[in-house]
Amino acid sequence: MKERTPIEVEQMLNENEPIHIIDVREVAEVKEGKIPGAINIPLGILEAKMPDLDKGTEYTIVCLSGGRSGRATQFLESYGFKVVNMTGGMMSWAGPTE
């Protein structure tokens, strides 16, 4: 499983590199703040939302601590998606939120 640190994600955002972030936390958790531009697809409905995702796009997967995003990354990877797990999750995120 490919991994990326929160610092690497923040650098990509700051340098306007193309990055597509999926936050797999529950809606109530995301209301407390998410990485700017991230889309929220709670882990429980990820499978149902797979048809909305592009297999040619690399997605960085985020959760609170890295556990759920790790599971989501492995799940999507098994279906041929290009995915990267953000280690440490939002608990390790020091960048801006929206």
Side-chain angles (χ1 to χ4, degrees):
M1 170 175 38
K2 266 180 88 176
E3 294 183 324
R4 183 172 285 145
T5 68
I7 291 170
E8 290 170 324
V9 171
E10 188 174 3
Q11 286 171 342
M12 291 176 76
L13 289 170
N14 289 340
E15 295 169 8
N16 292 319
E17 288 184 44
I19 183 169
H20 303 277
I21 301 169
I22 298 175
D23 191 321
V24 295
R25 294 178 296 158
E26 296 300 318
V27 174
E29 293 175 284
V30 171
K31 285 182 181 176
E32 295 175 17
K34 68 178 181 70
I35 297 171
I39 59 168
N40 179 222
I41 304 176
L43 183 60
I45 63 167
L46 185 60
E47 185 172 10
K49 292 288 187 176
M50 281 194 320
D52 298 336
L53 303 176
D54 177 11
K55 285 191 176 179
T57 299
E58 180 182 82
Y59 296 100
T60 298
I61 312 298
V62 177
C63 70
L64 183 63
S65 65
R68 283 178 282 181
S69 60
R71 289 193 301 274
T73 298
Q74 289 175 330
F75 175 76
L76 289 171
E77 212 170 41
S78 75
Y79 282 93
F81 288 93
K82 296 182 208 171
V83 284
V84 180
N85 182 39
M86 187 180 90
T87 60
M90 291 302 289
M91 290 174 66
S92 298
W93 179 255
T97 59
E98 59 179 22

